[in-house]
Amino acid sequence: MKHLLALKDLSAEEIYAVLNLADQLKYELKHGIAHEKLKGKTLAMIFTKSSTRTRVSFETGMYQLGGQALFLSASDIQIGRGEPIRDTARVLSRYVDGIMIRTFKQSDVEELAEYGTIPVINGLTDYAHPCQVLADLMTVRERKGSLKNLKLCFVGDGNNMANSLIAGAVKVGMKITVCCPKGYEPDAALVGWGKESGLLEITEDVLAGAKDADVVYTDVWASMGQEGEAEKRRKAFAGYQVNAAVMAAAKPDAMVLHCLPAHRGEEITEEVLEAHAEDIFDEAENRLHAQKAVLVMTMGR
Ligand code: CP
Ligand code: NVA
């Protein structure tokens, strides 16, 4: 695996290889077995948006793998003053062994990969959040034993999470239904590709979409960068909440996932979130293990 820009670029075999290595690294960590597979290596982490999980899990992950991570807030490095991505890519390639970037435009992440000579990992863009979905798939597989033929229902905005969940689910053979209001559908190209597989369905009807789901997933109504639309979105998404009625439509043993941070009372009720806190915080933990696998598979070559 050269880079991780979007899950759609990976084969099913590569996704399973990440999940298997993630399981192994998690086991080793829990049993005190050292795995310094990136000894002496440095990861540069560029952030144009806020983060708790991504920053802390990547930084800790690099440390556990025997390397180090540099936190580079975009406002502190020259990117914030307009230095081109392509120059940043060429400079960082002379110093460090990999770059993780969280930013707005997917094309910036692609440009970084094109002009640099080192692996680039997408830590979230407006288009995709592949690291999150690898952790999500890992969590589902831990609970359910396998991924194939399960049904995941995503309720809410057709955003970066919906896009990456479509890509990840279709690749591993999981059914996915996205319940969203008109005008807030996921990326059109991904929807076309997903529908061709026969695994993706898009609906405005949340209860129909959640019927018999094994996994119910939601995310905020207004993503980072959309704060100005929050009020308008609150109205548009009023019927798109994961609550007791939605959970009653899903399978009795359905798990609930949320990439976090969560807005209780908006996309999910306090009651559902707390009833499924074990799923959701295992999911957050698995960011660490899944990303360590990605780091080893990209930077460990
Ligand atoms: N889920 C996620 O990416 O969290 P952060 O924004 O805290 O990194
Ligand atoms: N859709 C959210 C995900 C946060 C992890 C955002 O982009 O803000």
Side-chain angles (χ1 to χ4, degrees), residues 9 20 46 66 131 137 149 155 167 176 195 197 233 250-252 254:
D9 305 335
N20 293 342
I46 303 173
C131 292
L137 294 176
N149 299 323
V155 179
I176 173 163
K195 282 193 171 164
S197 73
R233 284 172 169 267
K251 283 200 182 143

Side-chain angles (χ1 to χ4, degrees), residues 147-182:
L147 299 171
K148 239 185 159 49
N149 299 323
L150 294 179
K151 175 181 172 178
L152 184 147
C153 172
F154 178 88
V155 179
D157 188 19
N159 60 13
N160 42 14
M161 280 314 315
N163 287 340
S164 287
L165 284 166
I166 290 172
V170 169
K171 291 274 177 175
V172 302
M174 204 158 127
K175 286 177 251 162
I176 173 163
T177 301
V178 175
C179 309
C180 59
K182 257 206 165 47

Side-chain angles (χ1 to χ4, degrees), residues 70-83:
L70 303 177
F71 173 70
L72 306 172
S73 158
S75 56
D76 293 334
I77 58 172
Q78 299 287 9
I79 276 187
R81 296 179 57 249
E83 182 167 21

